[in-house]
Amino acid sequence: MDETRLPLQRLLDFIEDAKAGMARHGFRRGCLVGNLGQEMGTLPEPFREKLHHVFLDWQERTARCLQAAKEAGQLAAHEDCDHLAAFFWIGWEGAVLRARLERSPAPLDAFARGFFAALRP
């Protein structure tokens, strides 16, 4: 992550980078961790815990970014950064799944618009 960019811009940069990566592959590839999570019924049980920890790590990193956004005045002081980070990843993974289904960036854009609209004071 480019620490010279404002925190919310870094999150937007992530979205744009992921969207570009999916577009390069015709929206036929998504998030490996998300893909594996969707296949939990066919994977050994130890995978579930490992995948869960990956998501938790991503959430913690996102929560820190959102906390930095709060400190930079980009987010209201009352926002719960841990909750927002969990919400982001739950929604983002759903948007990635839908983008693959539709082979379109539209679900990613819709999620991003909704997420960032919810952050406005």
Side-chain angles (χ1 to χ4, degrees):
M1 242 181 234
D2 183 352
E3 297 288 326
T4 65
R5 314 242 319 142
L6 286 172
L8 291 184
Q9 186 59 52
R10 293 193 307 256
L11 197 52
L12 281 167
D13 291 347
F14 162 79
I15 290 168
E16 289 304 313
D17 185 58
K19 192 166 64 170
M22 289 187 75
R24 270 193 310 276
H25 298 284
F27 292 92
R28 287 178 170 81
R29 292 185 184 177
C31 170
L32 177 61
V33 174
N35 293 347
L36 287 171
Q38 292 170 23
E39 300 297 327
M40 275 312 307
T42 61
L43 295 173
E45 182 60 23
F47 273 67
R48 186 190 65 73
E49 187 174 332
K50 290 178 189 215
L51 293 172
H52 183 92
H53 283 292
V54 170
F55 281 125
L56 290 178
D57 177 59
W58 293 350
Q59 281 179 212
E60 288 171 15
R61 292 169 187 251
T62 304
R64 286 194 304 267
C65 184
L66 292 168
Q67 183 61 41
K70 192 187 288 192
E71 291 165 8
Q74 290 186 288
L75 267 180
H78 70 274
E79 293 289 1
D80 181 336
C81 295
D82 291 329
H83 172 78
L84 287 172
F87 179 78
F88 177 86
W89 283 103
I90 290 166
W92 176 253
E93 289 299 322
V96 168
L97 171 68
R98 185 79 176 260
R100 287 181 60 208
L101 177 69
E102 296 179 14
R103 292 195 177 139
S104 165
L108 304 173
D109 292 334
F111 171 75
R113 274 191 312 274
F115 181 79
F116 285 97
L119 299 181
R120 290 190 192 118

